[in-house]
Amino acid sequence: MKKLPYAFTALIFAAAMTAGPALAQAAPQTITITASSSDLFSPGEITVHAGAPVVLKFNGKSGVHGVRSDELGIPNTLITPGATKTVTFTPKKAGTYTLYCSVPCGPDHGAMKIVVKVV
């Protein structure tokens, strides 16, 4: 068996060490969404990537609201004024999903939604 020159061995080692972080899972995409009775959900539309982790930070501005999506793996989450609720999920397949407020919250309740585009 031939011995590899030191420089070549060092190059292979360096390449292996730098490839490790590239193979690690990407940091989650973090999106902040404000929930209020007058402004609804803001932003009302977001785009995320299939197979990549997503963190939604819901800031309650006014009124009590909620979200849930079995398709996206978002558990029933109650959003209250002055509080921040964090939800982490990983969308499995591309598509457009609509999350409606799950708590009757006032006259604009029917319009309170978030469109999630998974690409």
PDB file of all heavy atoms in Angstrom, residues 10-11 25 38 41 45 64 77 82 106-107 112 115 117:
ATOM      1  N   ALA A  10      -3.541  16.069   4.114  1.00  0.00           N
ATOM      2  CA  ALA A  10      -4.042  17.254   4.803  1.00  0.00           C
ATOM      3  C   ALA A  10      -5.194  17.882   4.023  1.00  0.00           C
ATOM      4  O   ALA A  10      -6.179  18.342   4.598  1.00  0.00           O
ATOM      5  CB  ALA A  10      -2.923  18.264   5.001  1.00  0.00           C
ATOM      6  N   LEU A  11      -5.094  17.884   2.704  1.00  0.00           N
ATOM      7  CA  LEU A  11      -6.146  18.449   1.862  1.00  0.00           C
ATOM      8  C   LEU A  11      -7.440  17.647   2.006  1.00  0.00           C
ATOM      9  O   LEU A  11      -8.522  18.214   2.145  1.00  0.00           O
ATOM     10  CB  LEU A  11      -5.691  18.473   0.400  1.00  0.00           C
ATOM     11  CG  LEU A  11      -6.694  19.024  -0.603  1.00  0.00           C
ATOM     12  CD1 LEU A  11      -6.981  20.488  -0.309  1.00  0.00           C
ATOM     13  CD2 LEU A  11      -6.154  18.871  -2.012  1.00  0.00           C
ATOM     14  N   GLN A  25     -28.272  20.398   9.217  1.00  0.00           N
ATOM     15  CA  GLN A  25     -29.564  20.957   8.861  1.00  0.00           C
ATOM     16  C   GLN A  25     -29.522  22.478   8.926  1.00  0.00           C
ATOM     17  O   GLN A  25     -28.915  23.064   9.820  1.00  0.00           O
ATOM     18  CB  GLN A  25     -30.632  20.421   9.798  1.00  0.00           C
ATOM     19  CG  GLN A  25     -32.023  20.745   9.353  1.00  0.00           C
ATOM     20  CD  GLN A  25     -33.055  19.986  10.155  1.00  0.00           C
ATOM     21  OE1 GLN A  25     -32.718  19.309  11.112  1.00  0.00           O
ATOM     22  NE2 GLN A  25     -34.292  20.103   9.774  1.00  0.00           N
ATOM     23  N   SER A  38     -58.137  44.413  14.744  1.00  0.00           N
ATOM     24  CA  SER A  38     -58.325  45.420  13.700  1.00  0.00           C
ATOM     25  C   SER A  38     -57.435  45.180  12.479  1.00  0.00           C
ATOM     26  O   SER A  38     -57.841  45.451  11.355  1.00  0.00           O
ATOM     27  CB  SER A  38     -58.068  46.814  14.255  1.00  0.00           C
ATOM     28  OG  SER A  38     -56.750  46.895  14.772  1.00  0.00           O
ATOM     29  N   PHE A  41     -54.318  39.137  10.748  1.00  0.00           N
ATOM     30  CA  PHE A  41     -52.972  38.578  10.818  1.00  0.00           C
ATOM     31  C   PHE A  41     -52.093  39.374   9.862  1.00  0.00           C
ATOM     32  O   PHE A  41     -52.463  39.612   8.715  1.00  0.00           O
ATOM     33  CB  PHE A  41     -52.941  37.105  10.399  1.00  0.00           C
ATOM     34  CG  PHE A  41     -53.514  36.155  11.409  1.00  0.00           C
ATOM     35  CD1 PHE A  41     -54.644  35.410  11.116  1.00  0.00           C
ATOM     36  CD2 PHE A  41     -52.920  35.996  12.645  1.00  0.00           C
ATOM     37  CE1 PHE A  41     -55.171  34.515  12.031  1.00  0.00           C
ATOM     38  CE2 PHE A  41     -53.438  35.106  13.581  1.00  0.00           C
ATOM     39  CZ  PHE A  41     -54.569  34.371  13.267  1.00  0.00           C
ATOM     40  N   GLU A  45     -49.869  36.674   4.263  1.00  0.00           N
ATOM     41  CA  GLU A  45     -49.371  35.628   3.365  1.00  0.00           C
ATOM     42  C   GLU A  45     -47.878  35.437   3.596  1.00  0.00           C
ATOM     43  O   GLU A  45     -47.140  36.418   3.697  1.00  0.00           O
ATOM     44  CB  GLU A  45     -49.617  36.013   1.907  1.00  0.00           C
ATOM     45  CG  GLU A  45     -49.208  34.946   0.914  1.00  0.00           C
ATOM     46  CD  GLU A  45     -49.559  35.321  -0.517  1.00  0.00           C
ATOM     47  OE1 GLU A  45     -50.754  35.571  -0.782  1.00  0.00           O
ATOM     48  OE2 GLU A  45     -48.639  35.371  -1.349  1.00  0.00           O
ATOM     49  N   VAL A  64     -58.304  37.917  21.346  1.00  0.00           N
ATOM     50  CA  VAL A  64     -57.802  36.549  21.510  1.00  0.00           C
ATOM     51  C   VAL A  64     -58.029  35.830  20.187  1.00  0.00           C
ATOM     52  O   VAL A  64     -59.123  35.882  19.623  1.00  0.00           O
ATOM     53  CB  VAL A  64     -58.524  35.820  22.660  1.00  0.00           C
ATOM     54  CG1 VAL A  64     -58.065  34.374  22.755  1.00  0.00           C
ATOM     55  CG2 VAL A  64     -58.284  36.549  23.977  1.00  0.00           C
ATOM     56  N   THR A  77     -53.086  26.637  18.654  1.00  0.00           N
ATOM     57  CA  THR A  77     -52.273  27.602  19.388  1.00  0.00           C
ATOM     58  C   THR A  77     -53.109  28.827  19.695  1.00  0.00           C
ATOM     59  O   THR A  77     -53.639  29.467  18.789  1.00  0.00           O
ATOM     60  CB  THR A  77     -51.047  28.007  18.542  1.00  0.00           C
ATOM     61  OG1 THR A  77     -50.312  26.823  18.203  1.00  0.00           O
ATOM     62  CG2 THR A  77     -50.137  28.960  19.293  1.00  0.00           C
ATOM     63  N   GLY A  82     -50.508  40.892  24.171  1.00  0.00           N
ATOM     64  CA  GLY A  82     -49.289  41.115  24.939  1.00  0.00           C
ATOM     65  C   GLY A  82     -48.380  39.910  25.050  1.00  0.00           C
ATOM     66  O   GLY A  82     -47.327  39.978  25.673  1.00  0.00           O
ATOM     67  N   GLY A 106     -64.530  38.574  16.701  1.00  0.00           N
ATOM     68  CA  GLY A 106     -65.141  39.855  16.395  1.00  0.00           C
ATOM     69  C   GLY A 106     -65.704  39.885  14.993  1.00  0.00           C
ATOM     70  O   GLY A 106     -65.742  38.867  14.296  1.00  0.00           O
ATOM     71  N   PRO A 107     -66.118  41.071  14.547  1.00  0.00           N
ATOM     72  CA  PRO A 107     -66.806  41.185  13.250  1.00  0.00           C
ATOM     73  C   PRO A 107     -65.944  40.785  12.050  1.00  0.00           C
ATOM     74  O   PRO A 107     -66.488  40.367  11.027  1.00  0.00           O
ATOM     75  CB  PRO A 107     -67.197  42.656  13.181  1.00  0.00           C
ATOM     76  CG  PRO A 107     -66.415  43.357  14.227  1.00  0.00           C
ATOM     77  CD  PRO A 107     -66.026  42.342  15.241  1.00  0.00           C
ATOM     78  N   MET A 112     -60.043  36.765   8.948  1.00  0.00           N
ATOM     79  CA  MET A 112     -58.758  36.617   9.643  1.00  0.00           C
ATOM     80  C   MET A 112     -58.110  35.298   9.256  1.00  0.00           C
ATOM     81  O   MET A 112     -58.492  34.230   9.748  1.00  0.00           O
ATOM     82  CB  MET A 112     -58.949  36.705  11.150  1.00  0.00           C
ATOM     83  CG  MET A 112     -57.664  36.869  11.882  1.00  0.00           C
ATOM     84  SD  MET A 112     -57.953  37.558  13.501  1.00  0.00           S
ATOM     85  CE  MET A 112     -56.277  37.862  13.983  1.00  0.00           C
ATOM     86  N   VAL A 115     -52.324  32.895   4.588  1.00  0.00           N
ATOM     87  CA  VAL A 115     -52.082  32.008   3.458  1.00  0.00           C
ATOM     88  C   VAL A 115     -50.620  31.579   3.539  1.00  0.00           C
ATOM     89  O   VAL A 115     -49.723  32.434   3.571  1.00  0.00           O
ATOM     90  CB  VAL A 115     -52.398  32.695   2.115  1.00  0.00           C
ATOM     91  CG1 VAL A 115     -52.018  31.782   0.957  1.00  0.00           C
ATOM     92  CG2 VAL A 115     -53.870  33.087   2.056  1.00  0.00           C
ATOM     93  N   LYS A 117     -47.795  29.615   1.604  1.00  0.00           N
ATOM     94  CA  LYS A 117     -47.374  29.010   0.345  1.00  0.00           C
ATOM     95  C   LYS A 117     -46.121  28.188   0.617  1.00  0.00           C
ATOM     96  O   LYS A 117     -45.112  28.726   1.089  1.00  0.00           O
ATOM     97  CB  LYS A 117     -47.094  30.088  -0.714  1.00  0.00           C
ATOM     98  CG  LYS A 117     -48.337  30.807  -1.158  1.00  0.00           C
ATOM     99  CD  LYS A 117     -48.051  31.767  -2.263  1.00  0.00           C
ATOM    100  CE  LYS A 117     -49.330  32.405  -2.750  1.00  0.00           C
ATOM    101  NZ  LYS A 117     -49.096  33.323  -3.866  1.00  0.00           N
TER     102      LYS A 117
END
